[in-house]
Amino acid sequence: MDAAIESLLAEIAFDGQGLVVAIAQQHDTGEILMVAYMNREAVRETLATGTACYWSRSRMRLWRKGESSGQSQRLVELRVDCDGDALLVRVDQTGVACHTGRRDCFFRVLRDGKWVVDKPVLVDPDKLYGG
């Protein structure tokens, strides 16, 4: 299995920092939930566990989606784009995907030259993260 995963990893074009863009999408609705980054270890762990794992650029460590909030992502399918420099992580999202307590991270839309919030907070972020 390790050799198979290493072969798959060889086809991903990680950038100079060892990262690749990862777009998380709800598998059954097509809803784009969030954008994050993965390094080799995050991809390995995601494939091994079936639960999305990303690289946190702010914490400089692996970030297992839902580790502090319980709002996890079960891997349904992993796709790589034609250039190998972006991943589409098709998941089954438990709860909300955004740290703001919204379903997804794309809750601001440009309208009349202004960013307008068009999606409600579903879960108080303080309750998500024990604040």
Side-chain angles (χ1 to χ4, degrees):
M1 179 74 163
D2 288 340
I5 289 176
E6 291 307 312
S7 177
L8 296 171
L9 288 170
E11 295 188 45
I12 299 172
F14 294 94
D15 69 14
Q17 296 176 311
L19 302 175
V20 64
V21 172
I23 302 158
Q25 179 185 46
Q26 177 63 33
H27 75 99
D28 53 354
T29 65
E31 174 184 24
I32 301 299
L33 300 169
M34 54 179 258
V35 176
Y37 291 87
M38 293 177 129
N39 64 6
R40 289 177 181 276
E41 190 57 34
V43 175
R44 279 189 199 101
E45 183 170 319
T46 298
L47 293 172
T49 66
T51 300
C53 178
Y54 302 99
W55 176 256
S56 171
R57 295 178 303 160
S58 60
R59 299 179 201 125
M60 297 299 292
R61 67 173 180 82
L62 290 177
W63 161 46
R64 291 149 186 96
K65 183 67 175 159
E67 67 189 356
S68 57
S69 69
Q71 312 295 295
S72 63
Q73 296 175 342
R74 181 182 59 82
L75 180 67
V76 173
E77 180 178 72
L78 185 64
R79 292 177 176 249
V80 63
D81 79 342
C82 58
D83 298 321
D85 62 359
L87 299 177
L88 180 61
V89 187
R90 300 193 72 222
V91 299
D92 188 17
Q93 173 71 45
T94 298
V96 299
C98 186
H99 73 280
T100 66
R102 292 174 176 87
R103 172 69 180 166
D104 65 72
C105 295
F106 298 94
F107 56 86
R108 296 186 300 164
V109 60
L110 184 60
R111 293 206 177 118
D112 298 322
K114 297 178 191 171
W115 292 115
V116 177
V117 173
D118 74 342
K119 295 178 184 173
V121 172
L122 301 175
V123 180
D124 181 346
D126 287 339
K127 290 183 181 174
L128 279 176
Y129 302 102

